[in-house]
Each structure stands twice: as C-alpha cells, then as structure tokens.
Amino acid sequence: MERSLNVGKALQKKKWSRRLKVLAAALLTVGCLQVPAFAAESNGQMIRVAMFANLGSTYKSTTPLITLESTGKWSIGSEGGAEVTLPAGQIRFSADGFRVKVLETGDFKTAASAAKLLQATSDKPLLFTTTLSGKATYQLYTGNYATEALATQAVARVQKVAAAGLGGQKPVVTGNKHLSAGSYSSLQEAEAAQESLLAAGVNAITVLHLSGGAQGYSVWVGEAVTDAELAALKKTVEVKAPGVSLTPVSDSNVLMIRQDAGLSTDTLKTAPHYTIAGTEAKAYVQGDGSGIKVLERSARTYRGDMEVSMVGGDLALVNVVPLEQYLYSVVGAEVYSSWPAEALKVQAVAARSYALQQGERFKIANVVDTTLSQAYNGIGSENDKVTSAVDATAGEVIKSGGKIVEAVFSSNAGGQTAHPSEVWNGGAGVFSNVDSPGDTSAQAGLHTWYHVLLSSGVSGYIREDNVKELTTKTEAGLSKVTVTAQNTNVRPIPLIQSTVEPVAKMNPGTEAVVLAKVAQSNDYAWVRGPFTSAAMVKALQGKTTTTVPASISTLEVTKRGPSGRALEVSANGQPLTVKYADTYRSALGGLPSTLFDIAGTGSYTVLGADGKTSSKTGSKGAAVLSASGTGTSSGNALVVMSGDGQARAVTEGQTFMFIGQGNGHGLGLSQWGAKGMADEGYDYQTILKHYYQNATIVKE
C-alpha cells in the first residue's frame, strides 16, 4: 500500500468543449489532481487509478498498445474541445516515437505472418492498413523505442526473426518528425484531403488536435527521424502531389488516426487506431455506462472513463471513476464476498480511508490498480454483498488527531499485528502490535499434512487423505504411516505446488516415520523451503546493506521486535542488515511475512548436562534414533527430538526451512483477523478500533 489520492467535486458537463470546473474536496488539504469534466458525476468524489504509466522508480507498468472495447456507443475527446463519436467495438492506442518499419506489402497474410513471428519477442508488432495508390496496403512496425539508438539496435533483431517473410525489404527506423499538409474544421474535410494524397501514393494520416489552441483536424505526412530526412520527404511529396503546401508541424498534442489490422494474425480484422503525440496530449474515452474493457489488463471491464496520455515516452492509461464505485471492486478483490457483512464493512472503511489519504504519489493518478496501492480488478470482482457493505458505510473513514488515517492492511497478522518498528522503523500510535486471534480462521476446513521421514533420508509432506496410519511405532514412540495409492507425491512443503517437483514418491506398503502433523500452508501458518546455500546467497544479493557471504552454513533470527517479527537475520554469525525490517520478506526468497523461525536441515543444537548448548551438523556419527529405528545414525538422515517430544530430520547436506505465521507486513488491519472477529459477532466499528488504536469512525 503506497501513497496518492486526490478527489474532486465537479459540476456535471455534457460537452468536453465547456470549461472544466472542479471544486476541491473538503476531505483533503493536499493539492488536487485534475479530474476530466466528462468523468465527474454531480457532487461525486472521483478517483484516478493508473493502470499503465512510466513513473520511474515510483511505478512502472508499460505496454506498447492499449486496446479498449465497449458494447455500446462511446466517444473520444479532450478538454480542448475535440470530440469523436464511435460505434460499439474496439479501438487501439499507441504512442508516437521511434519505431522500426518492418515491411510494407499488399498481402495481408505476408504481413500477418511476420507479425506472428514477432509477437513472442520483445519487439512487439504494430500492423496498420491503408489504401495507397488505390491498393490495400499493410504496414508492419515494431516499437516504440525510447531512443533512435535503441530502435537501430532493434532493426537487426527484427530482420533476423522475420527474415523469411520480408521479401527482400529491409527494416528501417522511423521517427516522430512530421509535416502538415493542411488544417480543416471537420473530419470529413480532412479525410477528403488525406484520400487525395493517398491516391497520389503519399502516405498521409488524418490528425485530431487535442489542445485548445489548434482547430479541429490536420493531415500529416512523414515519420522522419532527422530534419534532413524530413526535408527530403518534402521534396518527394511535392513531386507526387503538386500544389500541396507542406509546413512543419507546430501543434504536436494530437491523435493520429490510423486503421489497425493487427487484432488478429489469422483473419483480417480492423479497428480505429489512435497514435497519441505530445507530452501534454490527453485523450478522454467516455463509455456508455456499461463499462470499458481493457484487453491488456487481462480483458477486465471497468466502470468510469479512461484517460490516455504519454508519460516518460510511454503510453499511460488512467481510469477515472467515482470513489464509491472504485471501492465496489477493491473490496471484492481484497477479501472474499462470502465473509460476514461486518468484515466486508471493515474492508470498505479501511480501503476508503487509505485511498483518501494518499496525496499525489503517483503524479498522474491517485492510486494504481495493483497491491502497490489496493487490488482493483474492475467490475469482475464486484459482488452484491460487497456493494451493500460499501453503500452501508458510504463516506465513512477512520480518523485520528483530526486527520484521515492511512489505513494500511495486510492479509493475515499471524496472531499479532506488527509494531511499526518492525515494518518501517517508526513509532507506535494509530498502529501498534495487538492480538489478532481471528487470524486462525484462515485455517478452517483445510487439510492436515503429515511431515514424514523416509528410509532414504528424504523428508517431506503428504496430505492426510493419502495417508494410512500404522499401529507400529519407532523405539522413540514416533508413529509410522504408509500411503493408499501408487506414486503418492511427497511434497517439499505442506502445499500442492504445481510448478514444484515432489521430493519423492511413495507406494502402499512403504513405511515412513511421522515427524509432525501440520496444517496445510495458508495465510496464517506456512512453511517455505528447503533453500540451499546457493539459493539463499542469490536471493540476498542486492537486498542487504552488508556483504552477503559466498556460502551460508548457518542462518538464524538474531533480533526480534515486539510482535516477534524478525528485526535482524544473521548468516554465519554476521548480521544481514536491511533498510527496513520488512525487506527480509523479499530478501529471503519471497516469504509471506517476517514472523518466522529458520530451521537448518543439516544442523541441530544439543543441550548438555552442564546446561551448555552446542551445535552439531550432519546426519552421521551421532548416537540417536534413525528413521529405521535401529539406534544408529549412519543413514542419510537422523531424527532429533526435543524435550517436549517434537521431532525433526537432520540431513547430511545443509538447507534452510522457514516456518512462519501471517501473510503481509502485518501492520494495521488483519483481513483474516477481522473475519474471525466478525464470525464471533463483533460489529465493524469495534473491529476497526481494535486494529487502529486511538481512532474514530466518522462520516465525511
């Protein structure tokens, strides 16, 4: 969860050409981001959600193409007054810049075949169609590229991939320098002028001006890289189309209107394509109320309207949507709609508070559509129960000290929420470590798994429905089991992971020693690993402020915070320091939380009669009970037991297992904890005040 929201109250507008009037929302004292007039509902609070944007280190999610779809009539316009009405269907957007023109051909199959070859590469294809000299023509490009040099490098890659279909044509770099062949007050006039140039064999494009200073439409020619190239093009066009007056382009904030032929590489399917040019250019797409689908965002459909612009040389897409409608999706994406109504209300108030406290972190938007802010998946994650919870708490926020709380939350606190010092080195206040017993509700109904040791020395986990318990035990009193089906998988952790190979397979009749019974890894309790020394070293590289050892023989938590979360982890006895303690989650291979213990599978600690402890490594040479019950330790693994009867396997090679609780940073609201409290009959305000200390719930 990060920072950045701005809300505004705007007077409803029916035309883009009318002046934007936005009233600052009383909820905020920070500067407000502009909300397009067309997107504002009467007295409605709006939120801007970035889907694609190149904001450098703040946020970067880019795409060379944006494909939007509507089931009803829709329109494209600007605050400068431009407006185009479109029928139902698809439209595409791209950004003007450096590209590679791969080929130009009159055969769709040739162009489509080359495009198909390029789809799987980093040089994404763009396929346009036009009518040049009276013939259908298909123009294949790749890009955009940030610089001419990068586009030049791409030429060789593109030529190599698509060589078989180029027919002798050589890919060339194109740029964003254009010439204007005239300005027109209507689209019809511009298209007539464009047709004349196309008939003369000149590749011309109709352009829609987005800024208020320019009038209507223009016709442009050229996609030159240099001024010299543009000057040469001018002479060529004047020969092909005598009498045409060409002037340098002065207004670059435009939409270049083309016809896209790349929606399918199997059959010819076209759609309007708008290439946006100019750092100040913004195009607003307004739907008919049924939602706008964004194909590059998993084909999800979103309420509200879309703003397309260029930021940092890349396409940017922002969804402008009423705040409460945004919450319909966020709450449905963040928690299960089957949860009690009071838990859904808790999430609604927390999500609203978080959003309203964001400031302007994302520059062009208030939040982003990922969990960097809050999960936002459009209409698809909405549910009637969720909508009712949002509506029932409309306008309610969490406040402390007269300010809206940045109500951060996580999935599961693992039994106790984090103290700020365990996450971002801050002090307590609204956020403090409190008990969260409801977190155990995440385990309800899950399978139990048997942690077993095979005679081969391999240890792993088998789900309970594949296990048959035996009446025999080891000399140490440990139970034995076999399995009920051939080739039963023995998993490295108590969880089915389709991308992770089992550590072994068992057949009926083969016996294994039971080390423990544990719950299936879940948001409350989990196991991760085993990780080798090499894997740990690789994961830690670049994540710590101290040097990572070349090899790790021991790894342990050497300092903990108030809730028990790791504040310091040491390798080979030396601290692996990080900027923020919560960074250990990613530094140690993507752990669910920092509330964990580490078990080295190749070492164990022995408590002597004199009260002193000593560390032992390896699985051989110790007089302890083995998996076979022979009383020797000459096998590939041995079992060590603690004074309270807990057993674990020690292997000959050292790897590391992480046994932990919780999912997320653990600060503030625990979503599963709230669910558990709601199950017990607590109302949403009581739950919120439990997780956010010294706070009140108010309606703004």
Side-chain angles (χ1 to χ4, degrees), residues 10 18 58 69 155 165 177 203 220 228 235 255 275 367 370 387 407 422 427 468 518 563 662 667 673 678 696:
R18 295 179 65 181
T58 303
E69 183 177 306
V155 168
K177 292 181 179 292
N203 193 17
W220 285 6
K235 292 180 180 180
L255 285 179
T275 299
V367 291
T370 70
T387 299
E422 298 171 307
K468 178 182 179 182
V518 300
S563 75
L667 197 65
T696 56

Coordinates of all heavy atoms in Angstrom, one line a residue, residues 10 18 58 69 155 165 177 203 220 228 235 255 275 367 370 387 407 422 427 468 518 563 662 667 673 678 696:
A10 N -17.0 17.9 -9.1 CA -17.0 18.6 -10.3 C -18.5 18.8 -10.7 O -19.3 18.0 -10.5 CB -16.2 17.9 -11.4
R18 N -16.9 22.6 -23.0 CA -17.1 23.5 -21.9 C -16.0 23.5 -20.9 O -15.4 22.5 -20.7 CB -18.5 23.2 -21.2 CG -19.6 23.3 -22.1 CD -20.9 22.9 -21.4 NE -21.2 23.9 -20.3 CZ -22.3 23.7 -19.6 NH1 -23.1 22.7 -19.7 NH2 -22.5 24.6 -18.6
T58 N 8.9 5.2 -9.0 CA 7.6 5.3 -8.3 C 6.7 4.1 -8.7 O 6.1 3.5 -7.9 CB 6.9 6.6 -8.5 OG1 7.8 7.7 -8.1 CG2 5.6 6.7 -7.7
E69 N -12.5 -1.7 -25.4 CA -13.6 -2.3 -26.0 C -14.9 -1.8 -25.3 O -14.9 -1.8 -24.1 CB -13.6 -3.8 -26.1 CG -14.7 -4.5 -26.8 CD -14.5 -6.0 -26.8 OE1 -13.4 -6.4 -27.3 OE2 -15.4 -6.7 -26.3
V155 N 16.6 -3.1 -35.3 CA 16.5 -3.5 -36.7 C 17.1 -4.8 -37.0 O 16.5 -5.7 -37.7 CB 17.2 -2.4 -37.6 CG1 17.4 -2.9 -39.0 CG2 16.4 -1.1 -37.6
G165 N 9.9 -13.7 -44.1 CA 8.7 -13.1 -44.7 C 8.9 -11.7 -45.2 O 7.9 -11.0 -45.6
K177 N 9.0 13.0 -36.5 CA 9.0 14.3 -37.2 C 8.0 14.2 -38.4 O 8.1 13.3 -39.2 CB 10.4 14.6 -37.7 CG 11.4 14.9 -36.5 CD 12.8 15.3 -37.1 CE 13.8 15.6 -36.0 NZ 13.4 16.8 -35.2
N203 N 1.8 8.6 -48.3 CA 1.3 8.0 -47.1 C 0.9 9.1 -46.1 O 1.7 9.8 -45.5 CB 2.4 7.1 -46.4 CG 1.8 6.3 -45.3 OD1 0.6 6.1 -45.2 ND2 2.6 5.8 -44.4
W220 N -1.3 14.9 -41.9 CA 0.2 14.9 -41.7 C 0.7 13.9 -42.7 O 0.1 12.8 -43.0 CB 0.5 14.5 -40.3 CG 0.4 15.6 -39.3 CD1 -0.2 16.8 -39.5 CD2 0.7 15.6 -37.9 NE1 -0.2 17.6 -38.3 CE2 0.4 16.8 -37.3 CE3 1.3 14.6 -37.1 CZ2 0.6 17.1 -36.0 CZ3 1.6 14.9 -35.8 CH2 1.2 16.1 -35.2
A228 N 16.9 16.5 -41.9 CA 17.3 16.3 -43.3 C 16.4 15.3 -44.0 O 16.1 15.5 -45.1 CB 18.8 15.8 -43.3
K235 N 10.4 17.3 -50.6 CA 10.6 17.4 -52.0 C 9.9 16.2 -52.7 O 9.3 16.4 -53.8 CB 12.1 17.4 -52.3 CG 12.8 18.6 -51.8 CD 14.3 18.5 -52.1 CE 15.0 19.8 -51.6 NZ 16.5 19.7 -51.9
L255 N -4.0 13.3 -31.8 CA -4.2 11.8 -32.1 C -4.1 11.6 -33.6 O -4.8 12.2 -34.3 CB -5.6 11.4 -31.6 CG -5.9 11.3 -30.1 CD1 -7.3 10.8 -29.9 CD2 -4.9 10.2 -29.5
T275 N -2.8 7.1 -32.5 CA -1.4 7.2 -32.0 C -1.3 8.6 -31.4 O -1.6 9.6 -32.0 CB -0.4 7.1 -33.2 OG1 -0.5 5.9 -33.7 CG2 1.0 7.4 -32.6
V367 N -4.0 6.5 -7.2 CA -3.6 5.2 -6.8 C -3.2 4.4 -8.1 O -3.5 4.9 -9.2 CB -4.7 4.4 -6.0 CG1 -4.9 5.1 -4.7 CG2 -6.0 4.4 -6.8
T370 N -2.8 -2.1 -8.7 CA -2.2 -3.3 -8.1 C -2.1 -3.2 -6.6 O -2.5 -2.1 -6.0 CB -0.7 -3.5 -8.7 OG1 0.1 -2.5 -8.1 CG2 -0.7 -3.4 -10.2
T387 N -21.1 -4.7 -2.6 CA -21.7 -3.4 -2.9 C -22.5 -2.9 -1.7 O -22.5 -1.7 -1.4 CB -22.6 -3.6 -4.2 OG1 -21.7 -4.0 -5.3 CG2 -23.2 -2.2 -4.5
A407 N -5.0 3.9 6.3 CA -5.4 2.7 6.9 C -4.8 1.5 6.1 O -5.5 0.7 5.5 CB -6.9 2.5 6.9
E422 N 8.8 -2.7 13.3 CA 9.1 -4.0 12.6 C 8.8 -3.9 11.1 O 9.1 -4.8 10.4 CB 8.2 -5.1 13.2 CG 8.4 -5.4 14.7 CD 7.4 -6.3 15.3 OE1 6.2 -6.1 15.1 OE2 7.9 -7.4 15.8
G427 N 7.4 4.7 15.1 CA 6.9 4.5 16.4 C 5.5 4.1 16.4 O 4.8 4.1 15.4
K468 N -2.2 -43.6 5.4 CA -2.8 -44.7 6.2 C -1.9 -44.8 7.4 O -0.7 -45.2 7.3 CB -3.0 -46.0 5.5 CG -3.5 -47.1 6.3 CD -3.6 -48.4 5.5 CE -4.1 -49.6 6.4 NZ -4.1 -50.8 5.6
V518 N 0.9 -31.1 10.6 CA 0.7 -29.6 10.5 C -0.4 -29.3 9.6 O -0.9 -30.1 8.8 CB 2.0 -29.0 9.9 CG1 3.2 -29.3 10.8 CG2 2.3 -29.5 8.5
S563 N 6.3 -7.9 18.3 CA 5.3 -9.0 18.0 C 6.0 -10.3 17.6 O 5.4 -11.3 17.3 CB 4.5 -8.5 16.8 OG 5.2 -8.6 15.6
G662 N 1.4 -15.7 9.3 CA 1.0 -14.5 8.8 C 1.3 -14.3 7.3 O 2.2 -15.0 6.8
L667 N 1.0 -4.8 9.5 CA 0.7 -3.5 10.1 C -0.8 -3.2 9.9 O -1.4 -3.4 8.9 CB 1.6 -2.5 9.5 CG 1.7 -1.2 10.3 CD1 2.4 -1.4 11.6 CD2 2.5 -0.1 9.4
G673 N -8.1 -11.6 10.4 CA -8.4 -11.3 11.8 C -9.8 -10.6 11.9 O -10.6 -11.0 12.8
A678 N -15.6 -10.9 13.1 CA -17.0 -10.8 12.6 C -17.7 -12.1 12.9 O -18.9 -12.1 13.2 CB -16.9 -10.4 11.2
T696 N -11.2 7.1 15.5 CA -12.7 7.2 15.5 C -13.2 6.9 14.1 O -12.4 7.2 13.1 CB -13.2 8.5 16.0 OG1 -12.6 9.6 15.1 CG2 -12.8 8.8 17.4

